Amino acid sequence: MNSSKNNIRYKEYQADVLVIGSGYAGTFAAMKAKARGLDVLVVDKGRAGLGGKTPWAAAFQCYDPASGQTREHTLESTARDSDYLVRRDIVEMWHEDSLQRYRDLVAWGAIEKNGEKNQGDVFRQQLRKNGVKLLEKVAIVDLIEQHGTVIGAIGFFNQRATAVVIKAKATILCTGSGSFKVPGYPIGSLTHDGQAMAYRLGAEISGKENVDPHETKKRFLCHPWGAYGTEYQWPILPKFDTLPPPPMKDGKPPIDGCAPSDDPDYVPLDPNAPPPPPPPFPMVEGDEMTYAALRGDVPVTPQVVVGGKGQKGPNVMPEDEELHFSATAGMAMHRFDGIFTRMGSHQTGVTGLYAAGDATYSAINGLGVSSCGSSVQGARAGIEAAEYVSGLHSLPEVNEDDIQQKVELVFKPLQREHGYSPAWVTQYLQNLMTPYFVLYAKRAETLQAALMNIEYLQKNVVPKMKAKDSHELRLVHETANMVLNAEMKLRASLFREESRGAHFREDIPARNDEDWLAWVIISQEDGKMKCTKRAIPDEWKPDLTLPYEKRYRKRYPGELEYRGAELNA
Ligand SMILES: Cc1cc2nc3c(=O)[nH]c(=O)nc-3n(C[C@H](O)[C@H](O)[C@H](O)COP(=O)(O)OP(=O)(O)OC[C@H]3O[C@@H](n4cnc5c(N)ncnc54)[C@H](O)[C@@H]3O)c2cc1C
């Protein structure tokens, strides 16, 4: 046990590769790095395989060339479903590796004979069995950087305020994603910690303007499940003779050997059927109705609903079941915003720092593609980090003064006699961000108003949060990350002056291909948040010779009228 200047004790650990997070991405990253003979340490603020979103995932979908689907088809459909913002390099990784990741899971026993999945315990067993060191219930607060290189991380044991300092040659962020939910919703896995840590060190973040209401039914405008998922997921399921499925369940074929979907829209798949025809135009029907509900023309009653496997959470649902939607509850944002890794790689742009899974931007979604995509990316990140480490002989020299300063900063909220409770700040933040007119049907003036509040929080409230114990200490740091993420979401939403994908600007309800076939990249410059545009490669763009209405089949409310008015102006 070491101690810092002010006698804050800390435990020190060392590893070749540090993996933060132990869901699909973290587990695969650790296993791959370990298989290359390295000393690997996995840290999770919860329990291995049981934190984050991994325990919720049921379907796991991979690409099987034997299914008859071509890569061109999936590339084109994922591009179209993301309004051309998908990272095609990551789709290609999924083409290459996903089947093998499925086989790994079967070999580990994470997919049982009846198709049920059992990641949690299996992930922990596999990590331990293979000699990966595991630290559970340790929340990582920040990365340690020296001369532009990440050399580890700093955090503390959640249940006793003991600081942890980890020195490592390479670090992989597999910290999952985050979201803004209704007040009272538990925030533990919604806090975007990895993005915040990477951003503070200069990594690029993208996709923050997107929203992911997920539990929402298909009538919700900008519904990403409909927009990104259903159109392409069925044709690319592997053929059952390649991956023998477990027995039928409830009369439905299982999805890629996993539990069948309980989605009421689920249509049993005939493995021999030709790919379904393109959806009718317009693709999403009923937007107008939901839009009316959002605007308050339909009564809305708060209720508690169950979504997913026993998942419970406060929800907001119109009284009319037919109009079932939930703008704010359910699943968290994932894969549509995150760390923008280098093309074809999981390198973050910061030396020694890698990222994978929901923590990264890919804009690939669809039933089973998220868990599978996180597995694919995790494995690749583990290999890349291992290759980087193989060129380094020893752990970098660490400046002890810097570490001690960081430890003191992490624990400062415990020493404050007066300050804001993190629970109060989170309530305020959730109240501010979740109304439909802030993040869903956006307008410049409402975004500006919310941003003004966030700027106030950043300047006057976040630095004065106070913790009375180690539990509150974790909440303080998570809340600070959420406030930072709120700023990113609002700035990116203001910056993208069009509607695209899961970003709907009520005041600009149409795509603008001339200016916005581009990613919004967020980075830090001189301590300030900056948004820039990065054009997507020309060969990834839609066929610009097609008329607009054919190029994009999903309509935003008011889109065609807006375009008509623009053209006539
Ligand atoms: C209800 C629900 C249903 C879903 N269903 C499906 C499905 O059927 N099919 C599908 O493909 N996908 C599904 N998904 C999405 C899928 O679960 C995720 O895409 C996937 O699990 C992400 O894996 P990951 O490893 O990237 O992140 P996560 O599983 O979220 O893991 C992140 C880990 O990092 C840890 N962590 C975070 N911050 C810190 C920190 N500061 N310090 C230490 N540890 C930290 C967390 O505790 C967690 O264990 C579903 C998600 C939900 C919520």
Side-chain angles (χ1 to χ4, degrees):
M1 181 81 77
N2 297 348
S3 61
S4 73
K5 273 183 197 158
N6 288 352
N7 289 332
I8 298 176
R9 284 143 50 94
Y10 65 84
K11 277 196 87 166
E12 184 178 313
Y13 298 84
Q14 296 190 351
D16 291 323
V17 177
L18 164 64
V19 179
I20 308 175
S22 60
Y24 282 107
T27 302
F28 273 105
M31 294 288 279
K32 287 290 175 191
K34 186 69 205 172
R36 277 149 186 78
L38 298 175
D39 180 20
V40 181
L41 172 66
V42 170
V43 183
D44 202 293
K45 66 181 173 183
R47 289 186 55 188
L50 290 168
K53 270 146 226 74
T54 289
W56 298 98
F60 189 91
Q61 187 187 161
C62 24
Y63 173 73
D64 180 2
S67 68
Q69 281 304 323
T70 62
R71 289 173 179 230
E72 288 68 33
H73 173 86
T74 51
L75 281 170
E76 190 43 41
S77 54
T78 48
R80 194 180 53 226
D81 294 344
S82 66
D83 275 2
Y84 298 92
L85 295 180
V86 73
R87 283 277 302 259
R88 286 189 182 221
D89 54 323
I90 298 176
V91 181
E92 289 286 27
M93 293 176 196
W94 176 74
H95 283 145
E96 291 285 330
D97 300 355
S98 56
L99 208 49
Q100 190 51 49
R101 296 293 77 83
Y102 172 78
R103 291 180 180 133
D104 291 342
L105 288 174
V106 173
W108 294 353
I111 295 175
E112 293 171 352
K113 283 216 173 70
N114 62 1
E116 290 296 338
K117 296 211 293 169
N118 175 28
Q119 304 95 327
D121 290 340
V122 169
F123 282 8
R124 186 201 273 124
Q125 282 159 16
Q126 283 298 324
L127 292 169
R128 288 235 163 97
K129 197 169 104 188
N130 287 279
V132 173
K133 295 185 291 195
L134 194 54
L135 265 183
E136 296 175 294
K137 306 242 168 169
V138 168
I140 297 297
V141 176
D142 233 331
L143 301 167
I144 307 172
E145 175 248 14
Q146 210 162 257
H147 312 305
T149 299
V150 170
I151 51 169
I154 188 159
F156 60 93
F157 285 96
N158 288 340
Q159 289 165 322
R160 51 196 155 100
T162 305
V164 169
V165 171
I166 303 158
K167 297 176 183 168
K169 294 177 188 166
T171 299
I172 312 177
L173 290 167
C174 299
T175 38
S177 59
S179 194
F180 289 99
K181 301 291 181 191
V182 282
Y185 204 93
I187 63 164
S189 62
L190 305 177
T191 56
H192 282 126
D193 296 356
Q195 285 185 31
M197 288 188 253
Y199 166 82
R200 289 195 285 265
L201 286 191
E204 294 178 337
I205 310 291
S206 192
K208 296 307 292 189
E209 66 277 26
N210 292 309
V211 292
D212 188 350
H214 242 102
E215 273 297 288
T216 315
K217 294 297 167 189
K218 63 184 171 208
R219 289 201 182 98
F220 187 69
L221 79 165
C222 315
H223 172 35
W225 190 260
Y228 296 109
T230 48
E231 193 178 354
Y232 71 91
Q233 67 201 11
W234 302 119
I236 51 176
L237 284 169
K239 259 191 176 168
F240 288 153
D241 55 357
T242 314
L243 281 177
M248 299 273 278
K249 239 188 144 187
D250 302 329
K252 291 175 182 172
I255 297 166
D256 183 29
C258 303
S261 168
D262 53 5
D263 183 341
D265 294 337
Y266 175 82
V267 182
L269 176 76
D270 171 359
N272 300 315
F281 177 81
M283 185 179 158
V284 179
E285 290 171 3
D287 278 348
E288 309 73 24
M289 253 205 301
T290 306
Y291 195 54
L294 282 171
R295 298 189 72 109
D297 302 343
V298 175
V300 172
T301 322
Q303 294 188 14
V304 172
V305 295
V306 177
K309 275 189 191 165
Q311 179 199 21
K312 282 196 177 155
N315 197 0
V316 176
M317 190 164 96
E319 278 169 353
D320 180 353
E321 279 284 328
E322 283 302 301
L323 279 176
H324 178 198
F325 79 98
S326 64
T328 49
M331 217 187 274
M333 176 81 196
H334 61 288
R335 311 196 72 76
F336 292 98
D337 76 17
I339 300 163
F340 200 79
T341 52
R342 291 270 156 93
M343 282 292 155
S345 148
H346 294 86
Q347 223 293 329
T348 59
V350 180
T351 310
L353 186 64
Y354 297 78
D358 279 10
T360 61
Y361 174 87
S362 66
I364 307 174
N365 200 357
L367 194 61
V369 181
S370 311
S371 52
C372 186
S374 292
S375 308
V376 165
Q377 285 186 285
R380 289 209 173 208
I383 295 168
E384 285 179 47
E387 279 166 7
Y388 165 76
V389 162
S390 68
L392 304 173
H393 296 298
S394 55
L395 279 170
E397 285 295 310
V398 180
N399 181 329
E400 282 304 323
D401 282 348
D402 285 355
I403 289 194
Q404 288 176 4
Q405 225 172 23
K406 270 185 178 286
V407 171
E408 281 153 27
L409 269 181
V410 168
F411 280 82
K412 202 151 193 175
L414 276 174
Q415 288 151 2
R416 273 188 200 113
E417 282 187 19
H418 305 285
Y420 299 98
S421 94
W424 178 80
V425 183
T426 305
Q427 294 288 303
Y428 183 84
L429 186 64
Q430 288 173 319
N431 269 308
L432 181 69
M433 296 297 285
T434 55
Y436 77 85
F437 50 83
V438 178
L439 282 185
Y440 296 90
K442 307 174 198 177
R443 283 186 165 272
E445 59 269 27
T446 43
L447 292 168
Q448 286 286 8
L451 183 58
M452 215 170 72
N453 278 265
I454 292 295
E455 283 172 341
Y456 185 90
L457 289 182
Q458 292 275 42
K459 195 164 164 217
N460 302 299
V461 175
V462 169
K464 295 181 196 148
M465 279 191 286
K466 169 184 176 319
K468 65 175 184 307
D469 53 28
S470 58
H471 170 69
E472 278 204 348
L473 186 62
R474 175 174 62 82
L475 293 179
V476 164
H477 292 296
E478 289 178 338
T479 302
N481 291 340
M482 289 182 76
V483 176
L484 179 69
N485 265 279
E487 183 183 348
M488 291 183 189
K489 286 203 97 56
L490 296 168
R491 287 198 190 283
S493 299
L494 273 163
F495 187 70
R496 188 180 278 285
E497 291 184 326
E498 63 154 3
S499 292
R500 184 174 294 275
H503 162 71
F504 173 55
R505 284 278 299 256
E506 197 181 35
D507 51 354
I508 323 173
R511 288 104 174 157
N512 170 353
D513 282 353
E514 210 168 295
D515 296 330
W516 284 105
L517 280 168
W519 293 293
V520 174
I521 303 286
I522 293 186
S523 59
Q524 188 169 232
E525 200 175 88
D526 300 329
K528 289 216 167 113
M529 193 178 288
K530 183 180 78 161
C531 291
T532 49
K533 253 188 228 181
R534 179 158 313 148
I536 64 168
D538 281 345
E539 59 278 19
W540 293 11
K541 289 181 178 165
D543 179 354
L544 296 172
T545 61
L546 283 177
Y548 179 90
E549 288 75 10
K550 291 254 182 308
R551 217 180 297 156
Y552 295 106
R553 290 185 285 180
K554 182 178 178 296
R555 295 273 75 87
Y556 294 105
E559 180 178 12
L560 295 180
E561 295 85 332
Y562 174 84
R563 278 185 59 80
E566 286 276 289
L567 291 176
N568 292 332

